[in-house]
Amino acid sequence: MNKFELLRTFVRVSELSSFTLAGESLGLPRSTVSEQVRALERLLGTRLLNRTTRRVQATQDGALLYERSKDLLSGMDEIESLFRADDAELAGRLRIDLPTMMARRLIVPALPQFLQRFPRLEVQISCTDRQVDLLREGFDCVMRIGALGDLDVVARPVGQLSMRNCASPAYLERHGVPRTLEDLASHRLVHYVRNLGARSQGFEYEQGGELRFQAMDGVVTVNNAEAYSAACLAGLGLIQVPAVGVDEHLRRGELVSLLEPWQARAMPVSLLYARQRHVPRRVQAFMNWLTVLLQSQVEPVAGAS
């Protein structure tokens, strides 16, 4: 059995603390993952993982092997890439996470172009608006919209998305058209939060370069971009959303742009990947392709050279 494959499996189990999650990440049955780890333990003559019904934890020897294996596997990927001058020869699995709206409207429809250029790659796509754990969940690349916070990963800025304030014609017919910030006191906002139970800050706008918020009433709170737009289309209130997410609705007259002098601050778009000495060429190829694809949708980051 290939020793490098055994090490790769062991590293994934160590990172995810789970044979099941490691199997899903690698595309292998749980039984195969477990057998490969046992084979590596037999080969090295030491126990690498402590297994209980609730968790999997590295032993002292396992923790040492994990740290050494990451550098070894990274170096092996780098060596293999040196002799693959032809992009079409790039092979392997890409595991990525994308915001639901961007995946459905832009990225997935263009994916055939990427796979035609790299026919030996296999792409696994997760679509979610939550903040996934890139390392623990085994993603090669994650696309994020919005502030990143303190993350132990590398963030590659792509640009920023301009924002729109929108409402449906039906909502405006019932409640009137708000033309000033003061008018918002008699309107409803569809609230968006990352985690249900969190408190919405209200209507966001910039004034004199300073970010401000105005509290607003609302009867619906969502944590998903598609549900956010759907609630607005249903006449449940105003939303503040990236223009790329509603441009079709605006063109068709299904939504109306409002309060243009008081737009929310543009949202940064970033590609996240693991902090490592060498990024696999397949991951570099995907990020480069995605960056070019997004150029027509994003604006330069303010202050960037």
Side-chain angles (χ1 to χ4, degrees), residues 161-163 204-206 209-212 263-268:
L161 296 174
S162 60
M163 304 293 287
E204 175 184 324
Y205 64 99
E206 282 192 289
E210 183 178 347
L211 187 63
R212 298 176 180 271
Q263 305 289 356
R265 179 170 290 175
M267 300 183 72

Side-chain angles (χ1 to χ4, degrees), residues 98-109 127 129 143 145 161 225-226 242 244-245 269 290 293-294 297-298:
L98 304 169
T100 306
M101 177 269 294
M102 295 294 285
R104 184 173 72 85
R105 295 177 181 270
L106 182 65
I107 300 172
V108 173
C127 291
D129 293 328
M143 179 180 170
I145 299 177
L161 296 174
E226 294 293 333
V244 65
V269 180
L290 190 53
L293 178 68
L294 294 174
Q297 303 294 333
V298 300

Side-chain angles (χ1 to χ4, degrees), residues 52-112:
T52 69
T53 56
R54 293 188 176 182
R55 63 181 304 184
V56 177
Q57 186 174 21
T59 63
Q60 185 174 353
D61 287 343
L64 176 62
L65 179 65
Y66 171 72
E67 293 301 326
R68 297 292 296 272
S69 295
K70 287 195 300 181
D71 290 339
L72 180 63
L73 293 172
S74 178
M76 189 62 189
D77 284 339
E78 185 172 2
I79 290 172
E80 290 178 348
S81 70
L82 291 176
F83 301 98
R84 288 178 179 163
D86 185 357
D87 284 343
E89 292 301 310
L90 290 182
R93 180 181 294 111
L94 272 169
R95 185 176 170 89
I96 60 178
D97 182 80
L98 304 169
T100 306
M101 177 269 294
M102 295 294 285
R104 184 173 72 85
R105 295 177 181 270
L106 182 65
I107 300 172
V108 173
L111 199 58

Side-chain angles (χ1 to χ4, degrees), residues 7-292:
L7 285 175
R8 288 186 195 279
T9 300
F10 165 72
V11 166
R12 295 305 301 133
V13 173
S14 298
E15 289 174 339
L16 301 176
S17 299
S18 167
F19 288 96
T20 300
L21 293 177
E24 293 175 357
S25 171
L26 296 168
L28 297 172
R30 184 189 185 284
S31 58
T32 300
V33 171
S34 181
E35 176 53 37
Q36 288 186 354
V37 171
R38 285 196 296 268
L40 184 61
E41 289 177 327
R42 291 194 299 268
L43 179 65
L44 299 177
T46 186
R47 188 174 184 84
L48 300 173
L49 298 170
N50 288 321
R51 308 157 176 84
T52 69
T53 56
R54 293 188 176 182
R55 63 181 304 184
V56 177
Q57 186 174 21
T59 63
Q60 185 174 353
D61 287 343
L64 176 62
L65 179 65
Y66 171 72
E67 293 301 326
R68 297 292 296 272
S69 295
K70 287 195 300 181
D71 290 339
L72 180 63
L73 293 172
S74 178
M76 189 62 189
D77 284 339
E78 185 172 2
I79 290 172
E80 290 178 348
S81 70
L82 291 176
F83 301 98
R84 288 178 179 163
D86 185 357
D87 284 343
E89 292 301 310
L90 290 182
R93 180 181 294 111
L94 272 169
R95 185 176 170 89
I96 60 178
D97 182 80
L98 304 169
T100 306
M101 177 269 294
M102 295 294 285
R104 184 173 72 85
R105 295 177 181 270
L106 182 65
I107 300 172
V108 173
L111 199 58
Q113 304 167 15
F114 176 76
L115 294 176
Q116 184 175 9
R117 182 178 175 186
F118 304 103
R120 297 183 61 196
L121 290 179
E122 175 190 345
V123 183
Q124 294 184 343
I125 302 175
S126 164
C127 291
T128 176
D129 293 328
R130 68 181 177 86
Q131 292 196 3
V132 301
D133 188 322
L134 185 149
L135 298 175
R136 180 168 177 77
E137 297 182 54
F139 290 107
D140 295 302
C141 176
V142 169
M143 179 180 170
R144 274 280 164 83
I145 299 177
L148 298 176
D150 185 17
L151 300 172
D152 188 25
V153 295
V154 180
R156 173 173 166 176
V158 175
Q160 57 187 13
L161 296 174
S162 60
M163 304 293 287
R164 295 289 183 272
N165 304 317
C166 299
S168 71
Y171 172 88
L172 297 175
E173 185 176 345
R174 291 196 306 272
H175 300 276
V177 179
R179 303 189 186 280
T180 67
L181 293 175
E182 290 73 21
D183 291 343
L184 293 178
S186 60
H187 284 268
R188 290 178 172 178
L189 184 71
V190 178
H191 295 290
Y192 181 95
V193 295
R194 289 190 181 275
N195 300 298
L196 290 180
R199 182 178 179 83
S200 167
Q201 292 180 290
F203 184 89
E204 175 184 324
Y205 64 99
E206 282 192 289
Q207 189 171 63
E210 183 178 347
L211 187 63
R212 298 176 180 271
F213 295 91
Q214 180 164 323
M216 283 187 66
D217 291 334
V219 295
V220 176
T221 300
V222 302
N223 65 349
N224 174 277
E226 294 293 333
Y228 192 49
S229 296
C232 187
L233 289 165
L236 294 171
L238 280 64
I239 62 171
Q240 298 183 281
V241 66
V244 65
V246 292
D247 53 0
E248 292 181 10
H249 297 305
L250 291 172
R251 283 197 299 268
R252 293 197 293 256
E254 297 165 345
L255 293 178
V256 178
S257 182
L258 306 164
L259 299 167
E260 294 188 2
W262 297 281
Q263 305 289 356
R265 179 170 290 175
M267 300 183 72
V269 180
S270 309
L271 299 179
L272 311 183
Y273 57 96
R275 193 180 300 278
Q276 53 187 308
R277 186 169 56 193
H278 172 73
V279 180
R281 281 188 62 207
R282 64 182 183 276
V283 180
Q284 295 181 39
F286 178 77
M287 290 194 296
N288 291 340
W289 172 80
L290 190 53
T291 298
V292 172

